[in-house]
Amino acid sequence: MNLKRSYRSLVGGVWAGVLTTCLGLATVTVWNDSRDYERTIRDARSTAEAVAQALGQEANRLVSSVDMLLSAAAARVDAHTFGASQVYTRQLLSGLMGHIPAVMAVRVLDGTTNSALFGQGGAVGGGGRPTDADLVRAALAVGQSELAIGWPTRIGPADAWFVSVARLVVPRPGETPLVAVADLSLTELQRLYGRLDLGPNGAIGLLRSDGVILVRHPYVPDKVGRSVAGGTLMRAAAGAAGGTFDGSASPIDGVPRYGSFQRVAGAPLLVTTGVSKDETLAAWREGVRQDAAVVLGISTVLVGLGFGLTRALMRHRDLEAEARRAAGMLSAGEARYRLLAENTSELIVLAHDDGRRSYVSPAVRRLLGYTPEEAVAMRLRDCLHREDLALLVTQARRLAGGEAQVSVVCRIRHRTGGWVWVEGAFRRIPGAAPGEPAIIATFRDVGERQRHARALEEARITAERASQAKTDFLASMSHEIRTPLNGVIGYADLLLADRTLPGRHRRYVDRIAAAGGALLTVVDDILDFSRIEAGGIALAEVPFAPAALVDNAASIVRGLSEPKGLALDVAIDPAVPDWVRGDPDRLRQILLNLLNNAVKFTPAGRVMVRVEAEGGTLRFSVTDTGIGIAPEQHGRLFQRFSQVDGSIRRQYGGSGLGLAICKGLVELMGGTIGVESRPAAGSTFWFRVRLPACPAPVAEAAEGRPAPVRPARLLLVEDVLINQDLARAVLESEGHHVDVAGDGAAAIEAVRARPYDLVLMDVQMPGMDGITATRTIRTLPPPVGTVPIVAMTANVLPAQLETFRAAGMDGHVGKPFKRAELAAAIARHRADGGASVAVPTLVDVDAFAEARTLMGRERIDGLLGMLAAELEQRFRARSGDRAGLAHDAHAMISAAGLLGFTGLSDLCREIEEACLAGADLPDLHRRIEAARVAALAQIQTLRAA
């Protein structure tokens, strides 16, 4: 009876706990869902408000830009009465309209007669639109406080809309007011709003303050121009600069939304956004359903648990019998596991923490040749290789430190005396009682795997040695070819710098220089062939003339074609741009390779080079009347070290590498290359690359030399007399004082004897080389030990350049050197820092005074403030960001020129072109930073005057 009473009490307590838990869980869930509902609505309103504010700021910027454009247009039209040029006005307005894509047309109307005084852009030209009279009346009504907005108008049969905006301008007291009008494309704004995502039923709109719809996303063409005055939105927006609204269905599509609105400064416009109420609450409703399901599920589990506990109590009587049956099953399982251990192929060992083994499986006979009893009795140091003992001890300590499993690969002695490679896995036995084995280990034979690993390692070492041999060969070849090329190209440059050289001789020398440059490009391509395969070649991006490039390549090859009686013609498509941007050296290398092949394989006839414009690409083709190639052989032409057959190699020579290099370079430029040929019918090799058109570069100083710099005292360390003579002539022609040392030891004595601004150090010299000399100089006390040292060497492989830097060199100039590169290296590294940054005259006083007279003092002061704000935000430090610097410079060209800052505008244009031409970034940053600081100071002075 007491047992039954206790059972009833226990069951009652269980069910009371179950019901209490279910009720509490339901209460907490309802409270959380209520809070989630409020938070969901709050988040939707915040989202709509944030998007509205962002679009409002974007609309403010657009209105400000249009306002500035209209003011400038009116001012220029007023200036026409004083003789100002309409051509300049159109150029100025074209530049400003180019920065505002939404502006379709601009015109200036007489505020009294509504007649058009000036017009630019659009289909109406200078004649105005029928709605201009209403727009003039609206502009006169609002005055100069804000822009006037017209009615949206559809353009043509397509669903394209525009709206006209007007600005009242009174040039001077008592004169006829002017109304400047701009047609804004609502399609541009529709695209902008279409990129924003507020959900499938979200909405974004731009309205006039009277409720007329101008732009709406989702786009409904028939709703443009419709008024929503009197609706929830317009009631909420009455008298408010911004806010939110919600609840009611939209009068446009009937969708209820949580919305926000923002007024646009300077124009009677309203930006509005809305998030669908149903979409906003969809996730919350789904969450409520999930919460209900969870509560129901947990309640079901709790109820089931209650029934389970009740049944557990009823089965308590049977537990003793179940425990006895389980003990019997455990004994049977242990017997089965031992049977498996004794018959598996892997060696199994049970051991204690002190290393004693209590069990070794019979697999030890097959693996090591011992009996299990012998293996149990053996000491660890007697069977384990002494080189692997420390590793095994380390892994045992990790296992003792708490790791669940460790593994080790080691050698164990076989009964025959040999060594067997095995892999052992050690695990701790959980719950092992004191005195019982605590570790279980399994061992398997990995001898074959170790043999494969040794073979792979030997293959890797062999491959690395072969790669190093290739690198050494390329380094030696580079040095031996570049050294004589240094003399050829250097003396050609010196002759070209001589203005007294006759024209015919100048052409000869110019072709020598071009051929030397082409040979240098071939050497560089051979050295970089492995990098072509890996995509590691960096292409230049500079302006060049395609016609001049092709003519230069043809002139080089004409010396080979004329002795064979071959005609070499050049045809340039008139549609080919005069100037394009790309890598002329790489293109010349490709053309020379194709032209040389054409001349080589053409016994008689002609060779034609053709350049054609195809869309945004240029197609270069070399056609010959030579021996031709069978179609089935075309696939082998662009493979490395491949020619059509062995007879070609024997008759014409060649390594079969040229076309493979051409293919790699063309594909690196993003282009394609191919061949069209038949036996005895000649061949056409062509390639197509994208080379964007660009303006002609600004003319450089005479003979392409950089601007004069302050002379420096230089030490030239060079052992070859011809290189000494050449480098000294080039440096002294720049005004530098040059001392010469013949080896590294003489260089050390020279820097100890007198101070130098820079040391130009050759690397490979007899006696003490340049690397050793540099390291020795760096150990000397300052200022001797800190003199700038620049390597001037034919060793230009990456590993060699890294060695130069590690030795203490500050930079390098490759042989054969170019005068501009040598001058740039001296200016960059010289100890005295070179010349200071000069700031040009930034403000044209007369142009600024005219702009202030035309626009008025208050207006010009506001524009100066905007220019200062732009200068504060732009031209910040951008490490290596050439595109960013060019973008900032481009953005400032028109704004600075409009206000009379012609010097700043010209400097920005120069810096944009220099960025695109690949000029030195640190120098550009220094120049524009100095000009920016000076311009801000002048703006402050002009605003205070």
Side-chain angles (χ1 to χ4, degrees), residues 387-526:
E387 294 179 1
D388 301 331
L389 183 60
L391 176 61
L392 184 62
V393 171
T394 300
Q395 296 298 80
R397 288 175 180 170
R398 290 176 53 194
L399 190 66
E403 291 195 26
Q405 178 179 335
V406 297
S407 61
V408 63
V409 177
C410 59
R411 287 160 289 185
I412 299 180
R413 187 187 302 276
H414 196 273
R415 174 183 282 275
T416 60
W419 296 99
V420 179
W421 281 99
V422 298
E423 181 180 37
F426 300 82
R427 303 178 185 84
R428 296 198 66 84
I429 300 175
E436 294 183 355
I439 300 172
I440 181 172
T442 59
F443 296 88
R444 60 190 180 95
D445 188 352
V446 292
E448 188 66 23
R449 189 179 73 184
Q450 290 299 112
R451 285 189 289 275
H452 288 166
R454 283 198 301 272
L456 289 175
E457 179 64 16
E458 291 172 357
R460 182 188 64 80
I461 294 173
T462 301
E464 288 179 351
R465 289 174 179 171
S467 177
Q468 184 61 41
K470 172 187 173 183
T471 301
D472 294 342
F473 168 74
L474 291 178
S476 176
M477 183 190 70
S478 170
H479 185 272
E480 295 303 323
I481 296 179
R482 285 173 179 272
T483 298
L485 268 182
N486 183 50
V488 173
I489 296 177
Y491 281 114
D493 287 344
L494 285 176
L495 286 174
L496 289 174
D498 185 0
R499 300 186 181 184
T500 64
L501 192 68
R504 184 182 63 177
H505 294 165
R506 178 175 293 277
R507 286 196 303 274
Y508 294 160
V509 175
D510 186 62
R511 291 183 181 180
I512 291 173
L519 178 57
L520 178 61
T521 301
V522 171
V523 174
D524 290 338
D525 283 342
I526 294 175

Side-chain angles (χ1 to χ4, degrees), residues 478-479 481-483 485-486 520 524 717-720 723 762-763 792-796 813-817:
S478 170
H479 185 272
I481 296 179
R482 285 173 179 272
T483 298
L485 268 182
N486 183 50
L520 178 61
D524 290 338
V717 187
E718 173 63 62
D719 64 308
V720 180
N723 289 341
D762 191 13
V763 175
M792 190 164 69
T793 175
N795 298 332
V796 295
V813 176
K815 291 180 183 177
F817 61 81

Side-chain angles (χ1 to χ4, degrees), residues 544 546 577 580-583 587 616-618 620 669 689-693:
F544 69 93
V580 297
R581 183 171 295 279
D583 192 328
L587 289 170
T617 65
L618 294 185
F620 297 80
M669 297 177 187
V689 292
R690 182 171 297 278
L691 298 171

Side-chain angles (χ1 to χ4, degrees), residues 174-249:
E175 293 191 2
T176 301
L178 302 178
V179 177
V181 181
D183 294 336
L184 300 184
S185 171
L186 297 181
T187 305
E188 288 293 328
L189 297 178
Q190 185 68 45
R191 293 195 189 99
L192 171 63
Y193 289 3
R195 289 196 294 267
L196 302 177
D197 184 15
L198 290 179
N201 287 319
I204 303 172
L206 179 66
L207 292 74
R208 293 197 327 190
S209 295
D210 59 358
V212 175
I213 297 175
L214 301 180
V215 180
R216 186 181 187 275
H217 174 73
Y219 180 51
V220 182
D222 295 334
K223 302 301 181 182
V224 177
R226 176 177 174 179
S227 176
V228 294
T232 304
L233 167 61
M234 300 310 297
R235 289 197 300 270
T244 60
F245 63 94
D246 56 62
S248 61

Side-chain angles (χ1 to χ4, degrees), residues 601-602 606 623-630 676-684:
F601 296 110
T602 303
R606 65 190 318 108
T623 302
D624 61 60
T625 58
I627 61 177
I629 307 167
E676 301 166 2
S677 179
R678 289 182 293 108
S683 304
T684 297

Side-chain angles (χ1 to χ4, degrees), residues 202-331:
I204 303 172
L206 179 66
L207 292 74
R208 293 197 327 190
S209 295
D210 59 358
V212 175
I213 297 175
L214 301 180
V215 180
R216 186 181 187 275
H217 174 73
Y219 180 51
V220 182
D222 295 334
K223 302 301 181 182
V224 177
R226 176 177 174 179
S227 176
V228 294
T232 304
L233 167 61
M234 300 310 297
R235 289 197 300 270
T244 60
F245 63 94
D246 56 62
S248 61
S250 168
I252 301 300
D253 53 14
V255 176
R257 295 184 177 91
Y258 300 109
S260 178
F261 65 91
Q262 186 76 31
R263 289 193 179 274
V264 178
L269 295 173
L270 196 67
V271 176
T272 176
T273 60
V275 180
S276 170
K277 184 175 181 180
D278 292 335
E279 292 173 359
T280 299
L281 296 179
W284 175 82
R285 290 170 178 143
E286 179 63 24
V288 170
R289 286 191 291 269
Q290 293 177 358
D291 289 345
V294 170
V295 170
L296 181 60
I298 294 176
S299 299
T300 302
V301 170
L302 291 175
V303 171
L305 182 60
F307 282 109
L309 291 174
T310 302
R311 294 184 61 186
L313 291 173
M314 296 175 64
R315 294 187 57 190
H316 185 270
R317 299 179 303 232
D318 303 329
L319 289 180
E320 185 69 24
E322 292 293 335
R324 291 177 181 176
R325 284 194 296 270
M329 293 174 64
L330 180 61
S331 299

Side-chain angles (χ1 to χ4, degrees), residues 580-923:
V580 297
R581 183 171 295 279
D583 192 328
D585 290 335
R586 301 298 182 185
L587 289 170
R588 183 188 294 110
Q589 172 61 25
I590 298 170
L591 285 173
L592 286 175
N593 198 304
L594 298 180
L595 283 169
N596 283 328
N597 284 348
V599 172
K600 180 190 301 184
F601 296 110
T602 303
R606 65 190 318 108
V607 175
M608 166 71 75
V609 185
R610 186 181 302 275
V611 185
E612 301 168 290
E614 297 183 352
T617 65
L618 294 185
R619 185 181 187 270
F620 297 80
S621 61
V622 176
T623 302
D624 61 60
T625 58
I627 61 177
I629 307 167
E632 61 270 15
Q633 301 291 346
H634 290 181
R636 300 180 54 190
L637 290 174
F638 298 100
Q639 299 177 9
R640 294 181 301 167
F641 308 109
S642 175
Q643 292 185 338
V644 172
D645 55 44
S647 63
I648 294 294
R649 184 186 301 273
R650 290 190 297 272
Q651 181 177 357
Y652 296 99
S655 64
L657 187 61
L659 290 178
I661 293 177
C662 291
K663 182 175 184 291
L665 291 174
V666 169
E667 291 178 349
L668 190 61
M669 297 177 187
T672 55
I673 187 170
V675 61
E676 301 166 2
S677 179
R678 289 182 293 108
S683 304
T684 297
F685 283 84
W686 59 267
F687 64 93
R688 186 182 292 108
V689 292
R690 182 171 297 278
L691 298 171
C694 69
V698 178
E700 296 181 351
E703 274 72 43
R705 296 174 57 185
V709 296
R710 185 148 46 89
R713 177 173 291 276
L714 307 177
L715 175 62
L716 173 65
V717 187
E718 173 63 62
D719 64 308
V720 180
L721 292 179
I722 186 173
N723 289 341
Q724 290 180 1
D725 181 43
L726 172 62
R728 187 167 192 167
V730 171
L731 294 171
E732 289 181 346
S733 70
E734 301 289 344
H736 300 301
H737 180 81
V738 182
D739 293 337
V740 177
D743 60 15
I748 296 173
E749 294 301 321
V751 297
R752 282 175 170 166
R754 67 189 327 170
Y756 289 98
D757 295 320
L758 184 76
V759 177
L760 294 171
M761 181 76 72
D762 191 13
V763 175
Q764 292 186 356
M765 295 180 291
M768 182 182 291
D769 60 38
I771 299 290
T772 305
T774 299
R775 289 172 177 159
T776 303
I777 292 173
R778 290 301 183 226
T779 62
L780 299 177
V784 177
T786 59
V787 61
I789 302 176
V790 174
M792 190 164 69
T793 175
N795 298 332
V796 295
L797 294 180
Q800 295 169 330
L801 299 182
E802 184 60 33
T803 302
F804 302 160
R805 286 190 288 270
M809 294 184 177
D810 299 287
H812 85 283
V813 176
K815 291 180 183 177
F817 61 81
K818 296 181 180 178
R819 300 183 68 178
E821 293 177 357
L822 182 59
I826 294 173
R828 184 164 54 251
H829 296 293
R830 58 189 291 177
D832 60 0
S836 59
V837 179
V839 178
T841 302
L842 301 179
V843 182
D844 185 340
V845 178
D846 294 335
F848 176 79
E850 181 183 0
R852 182 164 58 183
T853 301
L854 293 176
M855 299 185 188
R857 183 180 184 87
E858 181 178 354
R859 188 65 183 165
I860 206 71
D861 184 75
L863 294 175
L864 284 173
M866 295 174 62
L867 180 61
E870 287 289 324
L871 287 171
E872 289 287 354
Q873 296 175 5
R874 299 188 183 276
F875 304 118
R876 294 303 184 185
R878 303 168 184 256
S879 178
D881 188 3
R882 190 181 303 278
L885 183 59
H887 177 269
D888 286 348
H890 179 79
M892 294 301 299
I893 292 174
S894 297
L898 176 66
L899 296 177
F901 282 68
T902 56
L904 178 60
S905 178
D906 293 341
L907 177 60
C908 289
R909 183 178 291 105
E910 178 185 352
I911 286 181
E912 179 189 15
E913 295 172 353
C915 285
L916 298 178
D920 184 50
L921 269 184
D923 179 64

